[in-house]
Amino acid sequence: MAIFFRRFMGALALDAAAFEDIEADRHGDLQSVAVLLMACAAGGVGAIGVGATGLTSFVVGALMVLTAWLLWVGIISTVGTTTLAEPDTHSNVHELLRVLGYATAPGIFLALASMRSVAPLMIAIVCIWIVAAAVLGVRQALDYRSTARAVAVCAIALAVAVGAMAAVALLFSQNVS
């Protein structure tokens, strides 16, 4: 439990050494999943702050966090290991998933978005924090020498993922009307 807590706090503190430790631990997959599930649950709680109420809203909020993460990670994996790979880039799906699972640690603060008056601000802060953590994780997991390359990979993946999520939301909103 002490190792989990140290890594969790390291991810929150944007500590590159913590992400290196997470990457190296071949037995840390379940810990990473636990961090992701906590962020998803916090997203469900936070959905209440954007005008939704009830169990359905909690489930939708949690599923949106999970879906966005899965989409983003898939794009990061593709772009990071092909288009923007460095000669020393070695990809291991488990390493990448582990570090990106821990990169969602700031997502626990999405629960604060349940306070409607601060919901947009909290969502923005948490998203920026998660992206910053993911940049560190991608740099470590894909063995990049350059942080700029990790920023580019995360930014491209974020733009595509946000675009896809917005398109899906638009489709659903038109079907509801």
Side-chain angles (χ1 to χ4, degrees):
M1 190 58 117
I3 292 172
F4 173 78
F5 185 72
R6 187 184 80 243
R7 289 176 180 165
F8 187 82
M9 295 307 291
L12 288 176
L14 303 177
D15 178 11
F19 283 101
E20 187 65 36
D21 185 42
I22 294 162
E23 176 199 13
D25 183 5
R26 295 176 190 216
H27 304 290
D29 293 352
L30 288 178
Q31 293 176 358
S32 179
V33 169
V35 174
L36 176 60
L37 292 176
M38 287 188 292
C40 290
V45 171
I48 297 165
V50 291
T53 58
L55 181 60
T56 302
S57 299
F58 173 83
V59 172
V60 168
L63 287 176
M64 285 187 65
V65 171
L66 179 61
T67 302
W69 183 83
L70 289 169
L71 182 60
W72 190 39
V73 168
I75 298 165
I76 285 173
S77 178
T78 303
V79 172
T81 60
T82 58
T83 310
L84 293 178
E86 289 185 341
D88 293 334
T89 297
H90 297 93
S91 177
N92 175 314
V93 174
H94 291 290
E95 289 175 359
L96 190 57
L97 290 176
R98 260 194 316 274
V99 298
L100 291 175
Y102 267 96
T104 64
I108 63 168
F109 295 103
L110 285 172
L112 296 174
S114 64
M115 297 181 291
R116 292 176 197 254
S117 61
V118 297
L121 178 62
M122 287 310 304
I123 292 169
I125 289 170
V126 169
C127 288
I128 292 166
W129 197 355
I130 289 173
V131 171
V135 166
L136 288 173
V138 165
R139 181 167 187 224
Q140 300 310 120
L142 297 182
D143 301 314
Y144 286 164
R145 286 175 270 142
S146 163
T147 300
R149 187 173 301 267
V151 168
V153 168
C154 290
I156 290 167
L158 182 64
V160 173
V162 167
M165 293 294 287
V168 169
L170 183 62
L171 286 173
F172 278 110
S173 69
Q174 289 177 351
N175 288 334
V176 172
S177 303

